[in-house]
Amino acid sequence: MVWPSSAVLADHLFSMDLQGLRVLEVGCGVGLPSLLLNHIGVDITATDYHPEAQGYLNINSELNNDDKITFMRSPWSDLTNTEGLFDIIIGSDLLYEDEHITQLSDYMLLHLKPVSKVILVDPGRGRYTKFIKIMREHGFTSCIKKPLQEQLRDPSFHGYIITLKRTKPKA
């Protein structure tokens, strides 16, 4: 199933120039944003804890005549497994449990380059403010906006696009 947040994220990313950047999608599920970025030639790695996520990505990449997407099965609580450093981390509908706030921020901080960006789409569950607070403590600025009407496939979606940027390493 493609969640509304994932469709909003894919639409948002489609308008961005990500060529030459290394991108990580966390909690990819069926991976719509990863599939889009892979199709347009962006260096994308996808992660999810679900054991079937990689299979969905492989099948959909093949159906689109695209290369397989680099995939890592990785829980956010495992801070020993590193996929390397990324320019951008993306994700949709990730903060659905209180425990995910710290796990996700720690996981992202492990995988982000000193100058980096995070783009999340949250359906409005209310936990994103705590996540943003943690990321600000690590030198990120934030921008929260509603998606444009044309980015909504589901008119009942009432969430946000959250962009976090760190333009210089924390001293």
Side-chain angles (χ1 to χ4, degrees):
M1 176 176 185
V2 175
W3 296 101
S5 295
S6 182
V8 170
L9 179 59
D11 244 31
H12 181 71
L13 294 169
F14 187 70
S15 65
M16 298 176 68
D17 180 8
L18 302 174
Q19 296 301 320
L21 300 176
R22 191 160 187 239
V23 181
L24 175 69
E25 182 177 12
V26 294
C28 69
V30 297
L32 179 63
S34 288
L35 291 162
L36 166 74
L37 295 180
N38 186 47
H39 187 72
I40 61 175
V42 173
D43 180 1
I44 180 71
T45 298
T47 67
D48 202 296
Y49 184 66
H50 195 282
E52 294 181 23
Q54 184 175 16
Y56 295 133
L57 283 173
N58 290 344
I59 290 168
N60 286 315
S61 293
E62 186 177 315
L63 288 171
N64 286 296
N65 296 314
D66 291 331
D67 294 334
K68 283 187 179 178
I69 295 170
T70 302
F71 179 85
M72 300 293 293
R73 186 165 181 241
S74 180
W76 303 332
S77 59
D78 181 5
L79 301 180
T80 62
N81 183 7
T82 180
E83 288 82 41
L85 296 178
F86 294 84
D87 300 291
I88 300 176
I89 294 180
I90 62 172
S92 58
D93 201 356
L94 301 175
L95 299 168
Y96 46 89
E97 299 286 343
D98 286 335
E99 67 189 32
H100 293 162
I101 296 166
T102 303
Q103 287 178 352
L104 184 60
S105 60
D106 288 347
Y107 186 85
M108 286 187 176
L109 291 166
L110 177 69
H111 293 94
L112 285 164
K113 291 181 177 179
V115 174
S116 53
K117 185 185 289 191
V118 174
I119 303 170
L120 300 179
V121 174
D122 186 87
R125 297 184 192 275
R127 291 181 181 87
Y128 67 87
T129 56
K130 292 177 185 175
F131 176 80
I132 290 171
K133 182 180 179 197
I134 291 171
M135 297 302 280
R136 282 183 178 161
E137 292 169 1
H138 291 276
F140 286 84
T141 59
S142 62
C143 175
I144 303 165
K145 66 180 187 176
K146 293 290 247 177
L148 301 173
Q149 192 64 35
E150 57 267 18
Q151 291 175 306
L152 297 177
R153 306 266 189 274
D154 180 350
S156 67
F157 181 82
H158 297 291
Y160 305 94
I161 299 171
I162 301 158
T163 303
L164 300 149
K165 291 181 188 177
R166 184 169 56 187
T167 56
K168 62 182 177 180
K170 188 174 180 194

